[in-house]
Amino acid sequence: MYEGVSKLDLIYRRLLITKFFTKGWGSPESMRRLLEFRKTLSCRESCMNLVESDHPVHVDKSYESGDCRIMEGHFLSPFAIHHPEIMPKVAKTARFQLVVPLKWTTKHKPVCIHLAGTGDHGFWRRRMLMARPLVKEAQIGSIILENPYYGCRKPKDQLRSSLQNVSDLFVMGGSLVLESIVLLHWCKRMGYGPLGITGISLGGHMASLAASSWPEPLTFVPCLSWSTASMVWTQGVLSGAVSWAELEEQYRKDTAVYEQQLYPLIQSPEEHRWKNLFKMGQEFAKNYPESVNQMESVQKQEMDDQPESESSLYSSIISSISSKRTNSNLADNKRTLQQLHLHSPNLPNKPISAQVIHFMRGVMDECTHLGHFSKPVDPSLIIAVTAKQDAYMPRDRVTGLTDIWPGCEVRYVDRGHVSAILFNQNVFRKAIIDSFNRQISKYFSNA
């Protein structure tokens, strides 16, 4: 299952193993509302009607820092207006940082929104690795938006970045789409432009959903993401961090609800491939323990094929992670690895059913597949950056970005997911700069 992918991706996931969706799917009623809301969100016209162009944005403070001016602000998430009962109270206030040059030396004032990848809490990482360098390299400003369920917006009972319900992921996505629209409107009111949006990994996919909703040409650089999140959770290495036993138990307990009330709301642009989905699910369930064993054996292999400097960094990362694990952590991970064999404690010796994997694939395609969403106004401004050896984001068996967005550009780095994040930030920034240059040349040359 994991041939041709990065060893580091497998090892890193093995060492940082946590559980996602430990409380299950989320309430059936919340799932129903989110599935129906997706149909409004994915249509550009109806989505734009959800956000007032003068939605209030409050700047809390502004200060100088080196060659940058940083503003911090907040606003009420439009998602909290439309679905207050679904969104946690702590997540309803969106918070952001704006990082711009102290003095603009260019004719235009380009600003790019940066959405967070998995585990990117707060603003520091994106400010230091993306926003500040973009100011220095190209006089491009940045807005760093904190994801719902992260940082100040994280529910108290949530462990780190581990979303507790599948529905939480859809709340996050819907919120970020509407919040990005608020910020794009605000940038126009503030006199900034041209505008853009980007993100890495999870942030790249969320940026894809948001960019699809904006009715004007937009610089758009999704990094380390693809056309749907379904393969991340059913085929990629993160599938090993899913609480399948809990999902299985809830599905079996309320089978009639899932099959009679929720299934009719699910459609996938991959339907022509769905005739093989049950076979894929059976293959997943059958091979998953073998894949875990493969991950364990890979951990023991030497990384002679990696440059010495990178191999040393890999080793230091792994040693750092390992040194922080307590005996209880090790015990928890042992139990987790046992659970990865996908045997529910309430269903002894019975592997997870293909129906549950099928439902996960279907609901993820329904809510995240880019084929459901409006095409960006100008696909020539899209520069996607993808890792050839990505074990987190499998690209086979799903429609590619160039098929969904004809005219877009896809750039590849010969790395895995984790190593691309560690060593290719400059590649991501270069794509952002190139896309802004295209937009300026195409739409602002006479301004």
Side-chain angles (χ1 to χ4, degrees):
M1 178 183 291
Y2 293 121
E3 294 181 1
V5 298
S6 166
K7 298 175 183 177
L8 180 60
D9 283 359
L10 303 180
I11 295 171
Y12 195 77
R13 181 64 252 166
R14 171 73 161 77
L15 292 175
L16 291 181
I17 199 159
T18 53
K19 303 299 288 184
F20 285 86
F21 315 137
T22 54
K23 292 187 177 180
W25 301 99
S27 75
E29 178 59 19
S30 294
M31 289 288 286
R32 182 190 65 79
R33 293 187 181 186
L34 289 166
L35 291 170
E36 291 177 344
F37 187 61
R38 194 284 300 167
K39 295 169 176 59
T40 301
L41 203 67
S42 60
C43 172
R44 181 179 295 123
E45 182 177 353
S46 59
C47 182
M48 290 298 294
N49 288 335
L50 297 173
V51 182
E52 298 291 338
S53 61
D54 59 350
H55 187 95
V57 175
H58 308 281
V59 175
D60 301 317
K61 59 181 175 178
S62 176
Y63 54 93
E64 296 181 8
S65 177
D67 58 352
C68 300
R69 174 166 296 281
I70 299 178
M71 301 181 193
E72 297 185 4
H74 74 277
F75 57 91
L76 177 65
S77 175
F79 194 94
I81 298 173
H82 297 287
H83 289 288
E85 73 288 349
I86 299 178
M87 194 175 198
K89 182 178 180 180
V90 70
K92 291 180 178 180
T93 298
R95 303 185 185 278
F96 68 94
Q97 280 190 354
L98 170 69
V99 182
V100 295
L102 269 181
K103 183 178 181 181
W104 295 93
T105 59
T106 56
K107 183 178 181 181
H108 308 289
K109 297 180 179 180
V111 169
C112 187
I113 297 173
H114 299 256
L115 300 185
T118 301
D120 188 358
H121 298 252
F123 307 117
W124 184 89
R125 188 184 308 175
R126 281 170 286 166
R127 185 175 66 246
M128 299 304 295
L129 297 180
M130 297 295 286
R132 282 188 175 276
L134 282 172
V135 167
K136 183 176 182 180
E137 295 167 3
Q139 286 276 291
I140 294 174
S142 298
I143 291 182
I144 308 167
L145 176 62
E146 187 160 61
N147 283 9
Y149 299 95
Y150 280 12
C152 294
R153 307 179 72 182
K154 183 176 75 69
K156 291 183 178 180
D157 60 343
Q158 176 183 303
L159 179 63
R160 296 188 292 275
S161 309
S162 299
L163 301 182
Q164 297 174 319
N165 302 286
V166 174
S167 61
D168 293 345
L169 185 65
F170 306 144
V171 173
M172 178 188 287
S175 300
L176 289 172
V177 169
L178 300 182
E179 291 164 17
S180 296
I181 293 174
V182 169
L183 290 170
L184 290 169
H185 277 310
W186 181 70
C187 283
K188 292 184 66 176
R189 298 200 304 270
M190 295 287 290
Y192 297 120
L195 304 176
I197 191 166
T198 187
I200 300 171
S201 189
L202 169 69
H205 198 84
M206 297 303 182
S208 298
L209 304 182
S212 299
S213 303
W214 188 244
E216 300 174 11
L218 191 70
T219 281
F220 170 34
V221 181
C223 303
L224 308 183
S225 62
W226 203 237
S227 56
T228 175
S230 63
M231 301 303 283
V232 174
W233 300 106
T234 61
Q235 296 292 312
V237 293
L238 273 183
S239 60
V242 173
S243 298
W244 290 107
E246 182 63 29
L247 297 177
E248 169 90 21
E249 182 179 356
Q250 289 187 9
Y251 188 92
R252 289 186 174 276
K253 182 179 179 180
D254 296 312
T255 300
V257 173
Y258 289 101
E259 295 187 352
Q260 297 174 20
Q261 297 182 25
L262 299 182
Y263 256 122
L265 299 175
I266 293 175
Q267 293 180 333
S268 171
E270 305 291 333
E271 283 182 357
H272 63 286
R273 307 171 192 263
W274 275 33
K275 60 183 180 180
N276 296 320
L277 270 180
F278 277 102
K279 181 179 179 181
M280 290 169 57
Q282 292 166 351
E283 178 184 345
F284 172 87
K286 179 179 67 176
N287 292 335
Y288 202 91
E290 179 182 339
S291 301
V292 173
N293 292 334
Q294 183 180 3
M295 289 168 64
E296 291 174 331
S297 65
V298 166
Q299 185 178 3
K300 300 176 183 179
Q301 297 179 14
E302 294 184 358
M303 293 185 176
D304 294 336
D305 55 334
Q306 300 291 343
E308 182 176 355
S309 60
E310 296 184 14
S311 181
S312 299
L313 180 55
Y314 294 171
S315 299
S316 66
I317 292 171
I318 293 168
S319 298
S320 175
I321 295 168
S322 299
S323 66
K324 295 178 182 178
R325 298 166 80 187
T326 63
N327 291 334
S328 61
N329 293 143
L330 294 171
D332 288 342
N333 284 344
K334 181 177 181 181
R335 288 193 294 271
T336 300
L337 286 173
Q338 292 171 345
Q339 292 171 355
L340 288 182
H341 288 257
L342 304 182
H343 292 274
S344 168
N346 298 320
L347 300 166
N349 300 319
K350 187 169 184 177
I352 184 171
S353 69
Q355 286 88 347
V356 174
I357 299 168
H358 186 208
F359 185 77
M360 174 68 94
R361 172 75 189 271
V363 76
M364 286 289 174
D365 273 348
E366 168 63 30
C367 292
T368 72
H369 200 297
L370 300 180
H372 275 315
F373 289 75
S374 300
K375 290 180 173 61
V377 171
D378 187 351
S380 71
L381 301 181
I382 303 172
I383 303 178
V385 183
T386 300
K388 289 183 178 180
Q389 304 169 36
D390 199 326
Y392 284 75
M393 180 63 66
R395 297 186 301 278
D396 58 341
R397 296 178 177 173
V398 293
T399 307
L401 291 183
T402 54
D403 294 319
I404 296 175
W405 298 326
C408 75
E409 178 185 352
V410 179
R411 299 179 181 179
Y412 293 90
V413 293
D414 192 15
R415 294 188 183 276
H417 196 90
V418 174
S419 60
I421 292 174
L422 291 174
F423 301 111
N424 288 121
Q425 297 282 331
N426 62 321
V427 177
F428 305 151
R429 295 195 303 271
K430 178 65 163 55
I432 293 169
I433 294 169
D434 289 348
S435 181
F436 268 113
N437 287 338
R438 289 181 191 177
Q439 187 180 171
I440 290 171
S441 176
K442 195 169 185 178
Y443 297 101
F444 291 80
S445 59
N446 297 323

